[in-house]
Amino acid sequence: MSDIRHSPLEGRRPKRTELAGFVDGTVDDIRCPHPKLLIVGINPGLWTAAVNAPFAYPGNRFWPSLFASGLTPWQVDASYGLRLRDERMMIDRGIGLTNLVNRATAKASELNTAELRQGADRLRELCARVHPRAIAILGITAYRQAFADKSAALGLQDLTAEETGRFGGAQLWVIPQPSGLNAHATMPVLVDWWRRVADAAGLDLAAGAHSARPRHAIEAPPAPRKNKETVGIPMVSDGADDGSRTRL
């Protein structure tokens, strides 16, 4: 599909039997040169790597919660790949997206501490270059490992002036990861966290976005037609950012 950024599957959903082929795969960031908000996942899942789109697993609540909070003017469907229009919308809104570790796994527990610590260093370097107003890391357990802070809790992190400087002066937030298996974070809880982060980043919320489907003047791009090979695929363990069986 010409309206979807480069995807290994060229705009179709993966078959369950194909997912194992994307172990150790990568996903492109949403590169916003001057982000107000930088969203940081833990690492890509297999579905995400298969379609080169962040949080692509259909059961993940990342995109629905962003829309319900008003951070996006329409609900993105990344399960086939990321549409160029959706990527441009995020950049125009001042939202960038990256991962601590750009290595796809079936479960987040497959990451080791060294990888996470290296990811934390890379994140500091990135923030020192692009100077976001706020950073939102999705997942408290991985955050504690990556930043060697066993006592960290969800919310705005209490950093020293030196550490804040290493993040480009940004506020650093840790919020619940949005996997459908994270029973501790319901959709209203996720929406509330996104709105707090949006306020910290100085982002205006899209008017009228209060449900899982757009109901206002800005229309979402039409969804591509489903193919028979992927309809009804059962839940698979898709890594930290899409359908993981390992809660973070």
Side-chain angles (χ1 to χ4, degrees):
M1 290 188 180
S2 61
D3 66 332
I4 291 180
R5 74 177 184 179
H6 171 73
S7 165
L9 299 183
E10 300 181 341
R12 68 171 176 85
R13 285 182 167 194
K15 304 174 189 176
R16 189 175 70 163
T17 54
E18 294 176 309
L19 290 174
F22 293 96
V23 171
D24 295 333
T26 61
V27 63
D28 292 339
D29 290 348
I30 295 180
R31 297 183 178 91
C32 182
H34 304 290
K36 295 179 180 179
L37 173 61
L38 180 63
I39 299 171
V40 185
I42 306 308
N43 77 303
L46 303 184
W47 191 302
T48 281
V51 300
N52 189 30
F55 298 95
Y57 187 75
N60 195 285
R61 297 170 298 170
F62 175 80
W63 294 110
S65 64
L66 249 62
F67 170 69
S69 72
L71 270 171
T72 62
W74 60 72
Q75 183 172 313
V76 171
D77 176 4
S79 61
Y80 298 80
L82 187 65
R83 294 179 184 81
L84 298 176
R85 179 182 175 184
D86 295 336
E87 184 174 43
R88 172 49 54 188
M89 175 268 292
M90 293 283 283
I91 293 169
D92 289 346
R93 294 275 292 146
I95 303 173
L97 200 155
T98 189
N99 285 287
L100 281 176
V101 179
N102 196 10
R103 180 173 76 85
T105 60
K107 291 191 276 190
S109 57
E110 295 174 36
L111 299 177
N112 60 54
T113 300
E115 286 180 291
L116 290 166
R117 297 277 171 84
Q118 289 169 5
D121 289 339
R122 188 190 69 84
L123 179 62
R124 292 184 182 101
E125 292 170 2
L126 173 62
C127 292
R129 292 198 308 270
V130 301
H131 295 281
R133 295 181 187 175
I135 305 158
I137 298 178
L138 311 186
I140 187 61
T141 301
Y143 174 83
R144 289 169 178 159
Q145 285 184 270
F147 294 89
D149 187 353
K150 294 181 180 179
S151 63
L154 292 172
L156 178 63
Q157 302 304 296
D158 184 17
L159 304 181
T160 65
E162 179 182 0
E163 187 69 3
T164 299
R166 296 182 70 189
F167 285 103
Q171 289 190 17
L172 178 62
W173 291 72
V174 182
I175 68 176
Q177 61 94 3
S179 166
L181 293 178
N182 184 1
H184 298 290
T186 63
M187 181 66 83
V189 168
L190 294 172
V191 167
D192 180 66
W193 278 113
W194 283 127
R195 288 177 174 164
R196 294 191 214 180
V197 169
D199 183 65
L203 283 166
D204 294 328
L205 300 179
H210 300 297
S211 67
R213 299 187 64 82
R215 298 183 181 274
H216 45 82
I218 303 177
E219 295 181 357
R225 187 172 59 188
K226 295 180 180 179
N227 62 64
K228 294 180 180 178
E229 296 169 329
T230 57
V231 172
I233 288 178
M235 178 79 138
V236 290
S237 183
D238 258 328
D241 71 357
D242 42 5
S244 173
R245 298 189 189 278
T246 304
R247 293 180 180 172
L248 296 177

